[in-house]
Amino acid sequence: MNVIEVNKLTKDYGHGRGIFDVTFEVHKGETLGFLGPNGAGKSTTMRHLMGFSKPLSGTANIGGLDCTAKHHEILRNVGYLPGEVALPDGLTGREFISMMKNMRSTKGDDRTDELLKLFELDPDGDVKRMSIGEKRKLAVVTAFMSDPDILLLDEPS
Ligand SMILES: Nc1ncnc2c1ncn2[C@@H]1O[C@H](COP(=O)(O)OP(=O)(O)OP(=O)(O)O)[C@@H](O)[C@H]1O
Ligand SMILES: [Mg+2]
């Protein structure tokens, strides 16, 4: 069974930049490494899978749902680690976590406390004052906390 289906996905940013006719599938239980040089279009493809960006042509589906049309369901059900973490002003890590939790459905156990402990991350500080590494850890915690069946990890290392 294909969990992720990308078919001829195209987003043309002009001057030859963007993604062109990208096609691949990810099956249930499979871990796919999505590799390519800088600017190849990995993050752009993932943003389309999350429904943050609308394709010029082609389709992206997760669990049979069109990623653009069903953006909100995708957001609820898919764990996403963005390549660049942009955090909102004026929130503590804990407030950011609960904001993200309100957007997600928790299928299995809530793993937040376990993950915070594992990463030795203090969530009570202002997110804007966190170091880059702490921001990455916070993003990893929010991607994994709801124990999602599907994870999209941009720059996971
Ligand atoms: N919003 C945008 N507007 C215009 N061009 C864009 C935009 N987003 C990405 N691009 C261009 O699209 C191409 C693909 O970028 P993308 O960030 O998806 O690459 P990547 O494979 O994730 O690269 P990296 O390995 O550096 O993370 C690049 O040429 C980039 O400059
Ligand atoms: Mg990228």
Side-chain angles (χ1 to χ4, degrees):
M1 181 192 157
N2 295 334
V3 175
I4 297 178
E5 284 182 337
V6 176
N7 190 27
K8 294 189 174 176
L9 194 68
T10 299
K11 179 79 165 193
D12 189 348
Y13 289 123
H15 308 284
R17 291 165 181 251
I19 52 173
F20 302 90
D21 282 332
V22 175
T23 299
F24 65 91
E25 292 159 1
V26 186
H27 306 104
K28 191 171 181 193
E30 190 177 9
T31 300
L32 181 84
F34 196 39
L35 305 178
N38 297 130
K42 305 176 294 292
S43 299
T44 302
T45 303
M46 288 196 195
R47 281 199 301 273
H48 281 79
L49 279 166
M50 289 306 295
F52 293 131
S53 196
K54 207 175 160 193
L56 175 68
S57 59
T59 54
N61 288 279
I62 298 182
L65 301 175
D66 180 89
C67 297
T68 310
K70 301 289 179 186
H71 171 57
H72 293 286
E73 278 170 65
I74 300 286
L75 271 183
R76 263 202 307 279
N77 295 313
V78 178
Y80 174 56
L81 176 67
E84 278 176 39
V85 184
L87 295 164
D89 272 326
L91 290 184
T92 65
R94 207 177 284 284
E95 285 165 344
F96 178 69
I97 287 169
S98 70
M99 188 184 97
M100 296 302 286
K101 244 181 222 173
N102 288 335
M103 243 166 54
R104 295 267 170 78
S105 59
T106 303
K107 286 215 180 79
D109 296 333
D110 181 346
R111 299 185 60 204
T112 312
D113 290 338
E114 177 197 339
L115 289 163
L116 289 171
K117 214 168 163 187
L118 185 71
F119 287 111
E120 298 178 356
L121 180 67
D122 173 10
D124 292 315
D126 185 335
V127 291
K128 282 287 167 195
R129 294 212 188 102
M130 286 182 177
S131 70
I132 290 172
E134 287 173 319
K135 285 178 189 164
R136 291 298 294 169
K137 283 181 175 179
L138 185 62
V140 171
V141 171
T142 56
F144 282 82
M145 67 187 175
S146 59
D147 204 15
D149 290 338
I150 301 160
L151 282 154
L152 295 181
L153 307 175
D154 196 347
E155 306 282 0
S157 58

